[in-house]
C-alpha cells in the first residue's frame, strides 16, 4: 500500500509547476491501472503493513476513487483554461484522493476516523473556491456542521471500544460483539447515517451538490457518500446484536424517506438538484439493505454503491456539459436538447437507464439483491419498495423526457456537437458500469 500512498504524496508537488494539469490526470489513471493489476483476489486482509491493509471492500472503493478523481480533472477543463488557480485545484484533488485512499485502507478505527474527517476539508475548499454562486458559503457551512456534529459521538464511541478491548484494529475486532450497548450503537453509526445521507439528515447534500463545481459534485456523488456505507459495513461487525434490535427504525425511515424524496424529484426544475435528490433515494435503499444484516443486503449494497458512484457522477457530467452550453441548469431552459446536441442524447439515455437500474448495468444487480434482502427481512416493506421502484423510474424518465424533448428554448438557435474530451469522459463512466456486471462475483466474494 505504501507505494501508492507515496506516489500520490509526491505527485502533489507537481501542482506547483505550470501546465502539468493533464500530466497529473494521466498519472492518476496510470496509478489506478497499476493498482488494478497489482492485487489478486483476497478473501481477507492483504498487503498488510503496520497501519494499512486491503480487503475486498476497500479494493473496489479505492479503485473507484482513482477512477473518479482522474475523471474529475477531465471534466474540469474550464478550470484549466479560464481559472488562475488551476494549480491549487490540482492540489485539492490530489490531497482528497490521498485522504480517500488512506481512509479505505486504514486498519485502525481511529486512523479511519481521522482520514474520514480530513476528506471533508478539500471538498469544502472545492465548493467554496470553484462553486458558481454566492450561496456556496451556506452550502459549505451545511456540509461542515452536519458532518462535524455527527462525528463527535463517533470519536467517543471509538475510544470506548479501545477502553474495553485494548485495540482499535478492525482485524482484531472481527469476532468481538457488544451486547446491549444502545448508546454505543447510536454513537458509532450516527456519523455514517449523516454521510450516506439518511433521510431527515440529508439536507446538506442537495445544497452542496447544487453549489459545487462539476468536480465537487462528482466526488460527492461518486465517493464521499460511499464513506458512510463503508463505515457501516465495518462497524456492524461489532454491533450485530444491537443492530438486530434497533435497525428497523432506520430501515423504516430510509424506505419512507426514499419514496418522499422521489416525489420531491418529480417537482425539481434544477438539473443538478434532481440528480442530487435521486442520490438520496438510492442511498436510502442501500442503507435499508445494509441494515438488514443479511448476506444479500450487504453484497447488494456494496454493488449498488459502486454502480451509483459511476452512474450519478456521469449524470452530473452531463448536466455540466449542458450548463456550459446554455449557462443555465434549469429544465425549463435545457429542453429540446435532442435538436441542439443530438450526439449527447444517446449518453443521456444510457446513463438515465443506468440510473433506473435497467439491464445490463451493475445497478440492476445491486437493486435485485437489495430487494431480495429487504423483502426477506419483512414482506410489509414491499409496499414502500414498489413505490420507490416506480417513482425511481418516473423521475428518471421525467429528467430524460423534459431535457431531450419539447421545443428548443427560443434563445438558442445554433447547433452543438460535443468534443472528444466530453465523449471520452462519458464513455469512461458508462463502460465500467456495464462491464462490471460480467464480474458480479467480485461484489459477492468479500464476505
Amino acid at each position: 500500500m505504501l507505494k501508492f500512498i507515496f506516489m500520490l504524496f509526491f505527485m502533489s508537488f507537481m501542482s506547483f509547476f505550470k501546465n502539468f494539469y493533464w500530466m497529473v490526470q494521466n498519472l492518476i489513471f496510470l496509478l489506478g491501472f497499476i493498482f488494478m493489476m497489482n492485487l489478486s483476489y483476497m478473501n481477507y486482509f492483504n498487503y498488510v503493513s503496520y497501519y494499512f491493509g486491503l480487503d475486498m471492500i476497500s479494493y473496489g472503493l479505492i479503485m473507484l476513487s482513482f477512477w473518479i478523481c482522474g475523471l474529475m480533472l477531465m471534466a474540469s477543463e474550464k478550470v484549466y483554461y479560464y481559472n488562475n488557480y488551476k494549480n491549487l485545484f490540482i492540489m485539492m484533488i490530489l490531497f482528497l484522493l490521498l485522504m480517500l485512499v488512506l481512509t479505505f485502507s486504514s486498519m485502525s478505527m481511529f486512523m479511519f476516523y481521522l482520514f474520514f474527517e480530513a476528506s471533508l476539508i478539500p471538498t469544502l475548499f472545492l465548493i467554496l473556491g470553484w462553486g458558481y454562486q454566492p450561496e456556496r458559503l451556506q452550502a459549505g457551512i451545511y456540509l461542515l456542521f452536519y458532518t462535524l456534529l455527527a462525528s463527535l459521538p463517533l470519536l467517543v464511541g471509538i475510544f470506548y471500544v479501545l477502553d474495553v478491548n485494548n485495540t482499535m484494529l478492525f482485524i482484531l475486532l472481527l469476532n468481538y460483539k457488544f451486547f446491549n450497548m444502545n448508546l454505543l450503537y447510536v454513537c458509532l453509526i450516527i456519523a455514517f447515517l449523516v454521510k450516506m445521507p439518511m433521510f431527515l439528515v440529508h439536507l446538506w447534500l442537495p445544497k452542496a451538490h447544487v453549489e459545487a463545481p462539476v468536480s465537487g459534485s462528482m466526488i460527492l456523488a461518486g465517493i464521499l457518500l460511499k464513506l458512510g456505507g463503508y463505515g457501516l459495513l465495518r462497524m456492524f461487525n461489532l454491533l450485530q446484536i444491537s443492530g438486530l434490535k434497533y435497525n428497523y427504525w432506520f430501515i423504516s425511515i430510509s424506505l419512507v424517506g426514499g419514496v418522499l424524496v422521489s416525489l420531491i424529484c418529480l417537482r425539481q426544475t434544477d438539473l443538478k438538484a434532481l440528480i442530487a435528490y435521486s442520490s438520496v433515494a438510492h442511498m436510502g435503499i442501500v442503507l435499508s439493505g445494509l441494515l438488514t444484516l443479511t448476506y444479500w443486503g450487504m453484497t447488494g449494497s456494496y454493488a449498488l454503491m459502486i454502480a451509483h458512484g459511476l452512474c450519478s457522477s456521469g449524470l452530473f457530467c452531463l448536466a455540466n456539459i449542458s450548463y456550459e452550453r446554455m449557462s443555465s441548469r434549469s429544465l425549463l431552459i435545457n429542453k429540446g436538447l435532442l435538436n441542439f446536441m443530438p450526439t449527447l442524447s444517446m449518453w443521456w439515455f444510457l446513463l438515465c437507464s443506468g440510473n433506473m437500474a435497467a439491464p445490463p448495468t451493475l445497478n440492476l444487480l445491486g437493486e435485485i439483491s437489495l430487494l431480495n434482502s429487504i423483502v426477506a427481512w419483512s414482506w410489509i416493506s414491499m409496499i414502500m419498495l414498489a413505490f420507490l421502484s416506480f417513482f425511481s423510474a418516473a423521475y428518471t424518465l421525467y429528467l430524460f423526457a423534459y431535457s431531450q424533448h419539447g421545443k428548443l428554448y427560443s434563445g438558442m438557435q445554433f447547433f452543438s456537437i460535443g468534443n472528444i474530451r466530453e465523449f471520452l469522459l462519458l464513455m469512461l463512466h458508462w463502460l465500467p458500469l456495464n462491464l462490471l456486471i460480467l464480474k458480479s462475483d467480485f461484489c459477492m466474494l468479500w464476505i
Side-chain angles (χ1 to χ4, degrees), residues 75 77-78 82 132 271 317-330 333-337 340-345 347-348 408-409 411-426:
E77 195 185 42
K78 261 195 164 179
Y82 305 118
Y132 300 118
L271 273 173
C317 287
L318 277 167
N320 183 64
I321 290 167
S322 300
Y323 175 72
E324 284 176 356
R325 305 286 193 287
M326 300 283 199
S327 300
S328 169
R329 291 191 309 265
S330 172
I333 291 174
N334 282 289
K335 61 182 181 181
L337 293 182
F340 175 58
M341 291 192 285
T343 40
L344 271 182
S345 289
W347 290 109
W348 272 106
L408 191 64
Y409 176 62
M412 297 295 168
Q413 296 299 335
F414 58 94
F415 178 77
S416 170
I417 54 170
N419 56 41
I420 292 173
R421 175 189 62 88
E422 289 167 346
F423 291 133
L424 179 62
L425 175 65
L426 295 168

Side-chain angles (χ1 to χ4, degrees), residues 375-421:
V375 172
W377 176 77
S378 166
W379 61 268
I380 302 171
S381 60
M382 283 173 74
I383 303 163
M384 282 301 157
L385 283 172
F387 280 121
L388 191 57
S389 299
F390 174 75
F391 287 127
S392 176
Y395 66 67
T396 311
L397 283 171
Y398 161 74
L399 169 65
F400 178 74
Y402 261 64
S403 61
Q404 301 310 305
H405 299 295
K407 193 175 284 189
L408 191 64
Y409 176 62
S410 57
M412 297 295 168
Q413 296 299 335
F414 58 94
F415 178 77
S416 170
I417 54 170
N419 56 41
I420 292 173
R421 175 189 62 88

Side-chain angles (χ1 to χ4, degrees), residues 22 31 102 214 229 244 269 273 289 381 398 429 438 445:
W22 300 116
L31 193 56
L102 291 170
V214 61
L244 292 170
T269 54
S381 60
Y398 161 74
H429 277 108
L438 302 175
L445 256 176

Side-chain angles (χ1 to χ4, degrees), residues 171-184:
I171 200 163
L172 297 178
L173 292 168
L174 276 177
N175 295 317
Y176 191 85
K177 304 285 180 285
F178 281 100
F179 292 88
N180 295 323
M181 287 288 181
N182 306 338
L183 191 59
L184 180 70

Side-chain angles (χ1 to χ4, degrees), residues 1 44-55 107 171:
M1 272 314 296
Y44 209 56
F45 277 91
N46 204 343
Y47 281 74
V48 177
S49 62
Y50 281 114
Y51 302 110
F52 301 109
L54 287 179
D55 65 350
M107 293 180 67
I171 200 163

